[in-house]
Amino acid sequence: MKQPLIGISGSHMIDQGGPFPGYKRSYVNDDYVQSVLEAGGIPVIIPFQEDEAVLKALVERIDGLLLSGGHDIAPQFYGEEPERGLGEIWPERDIFDMRLLAFAKERNIPIMGICRGHQIINVAHKGSLYQDLPAFATIKHAQSQTAGLPTHSMVIEKDSQLFAMVGAEEVMVNSHHHQVVKEVGEGLRVVGRAKDTVVEAMEGTDYPYLRTYQFHPEMMRHTELNKVIFEDFVTAAK
Ligand SMILES: [Mn+2]
């Protein structure tokens, strides 16, 4: 069967030193690329840019969309003022990701969101976020060590697609976030939570394939969880 083309939303990196300080580069973390490859897909980086017609034409050529991690979401997109704990924002990328999401949904292609991607999908579905870890989040969600190391548990809803994939009610995940889903967006349901109730995974309820993860399965390469999540997504995109 044809290998599906998986578009991965890109970010910018600004050179801090070297021959071109301040120079802008388009990129995604290599773990996204490798995880898609290992699952049998053909990864393609979708560079950040603001031409809507080009984005639409690009999404018409892919078989699945992966919204990747990055900056905090600008709170203006869910009707809030910035709070002190908000991190760096990039509203133009929020718009870029929301356009990719809208064009992908027009085509009914499989969509997966990771970390910031999970959050932007919630906001695009009229949900909201805690701008910084709320008081009830007592588990360490910014693990500040080895990116792929699973450090906290996630409890999975038994009637979910995630449970069907993982085959267990509990699994260990890594954690690199300080924003958290607050109100769950329309057409989404929570299917995985940390034991402090922080939302770690969601699924679309009225869309063929929409999965979101607050943790970073792409960084957990060589784990069974990485394999099942990416194989499920790439297979759905075939
Ligand atoms: Mn977490």
Side-chain angles (χ1 to χ4, degrees):
M1 196 184 266
K2 179 173 84 107
Q3 277 183 285
L5 202 58
I6 305 296
I8 309 167
S9 69
S11 187
H12 276 167
M13 186 187 291
I14 312 291
D15 278 5
Q16 300 301 314
F20 311 116
Y23 197 66
K24 210 181 275 180
R25 298 171 190 272
S26 281
Y27 83 106
V28 299
N29 291 339
D30 187 52
D31 273 337
Y32 292 110
V33 172
Q34 298 305 325
S35 293
V36 167
L37 282 170
E38 285 163 5
I42 301 173
V44 55
I45 298 171
I46 304 177
F48 168 81
Q49 55 86 25
E50 296 183 271
D51 187 320
E52 196 171 1
V54 168
L55 274 188
K56 187 176 166 68
L58 202 156
V59 173
E60 275 162 14
R61 288 166 166 79
I62 59 175
D63 304 305
L65 174 67
L66 198 176
L67 294 178
S68 66
H71 291 67
D72 281 1
I73 314 292
Q76 70 203 56
F77 294 115
Y78 49 94
E80 288 188 14
E81 294 295 320
E83 294 169 2
R84 283 190 297 258
L86 180 68
E88 199 179 333
I89 57 166
W90 182 10
E92 294 85 355
R93 189 182 171 200
D94 296 339
I95 292 167
F96 165 75
D97 277 336
M98 286 192 278
R99 281 174 172 164
L100 289 174
L101 177 64
F103 292 142
K105 283 164 84 179
E106 280 176 15
R107 296 196 51 231
N108 274 325
I109 59 174
I111 297 164
M112 175 160 77
I114 292 178
C115 196
R116 168 199 156 77
H118 154 89
Q119 296 166 358
I120 196 84
I121 287 169
N122 189 52
V123 168
H125 285 75
K126 301 185 177 134
S128 64
L129 303 174
Y130 291 103
Q131 295 183 29
D132 195 17
L133 276 182
F136 69 80
T138 53
I139 286 170
K140 185 164 183 169
H141 289 281
Q143 66 191 47
S144 59
Q145 58 175 301
T146 319
L149 184 71
T151 59
H152 74 65
S153 53
M154 174 173 70
V155 179
I156 301 172
E157 294 289 332
K158 275 212 262 189
D159 61 346
S160 65
Q161 296 301 316
L162 183 60
F163 181 83
M165 276 160 51
V166 175
E169 283 176 63
E170 214 174 295
V171 70
M172 292 292 287
V173 298
N174 58 355
S175 207
H176 302 278
H177 61 106
H178 79 109
Q179 296 209 303
V180 170
V181 164
K182 186 157 65 182
E183 292 162 290
V184 176
E186 294 168 9
L188 297 172
R189 65 173 288 220
V190 177
V191 295
R193 289 186 190 269
K195 287 191 175 160
D196 58 7
T197 76
V198 160
V199 176
E200 292 284 346
M202 299 191 297
E203 291 173 2
T205 56
D206 53 7
Y207 188 81
Y209 191 103
L210 177 60
R211 310 283 169 84
T212 79
Y213 307 105
Q214 180 61 76
F215 57 97
H216 282 271
E218 86 286 3
M219 289 175 169
M220 298 171 67
R221 286 171 58 211
H222 317 302
T223 67
E224 193 58 25
L225 188 61
N226 166 286
K227 196 168 138 71
V228 295
I229 285 176
F230 276 86
E231 282 183 358
D232 192 72
F233 173 58
V234 169
T235 301
K238 271 181 187 163

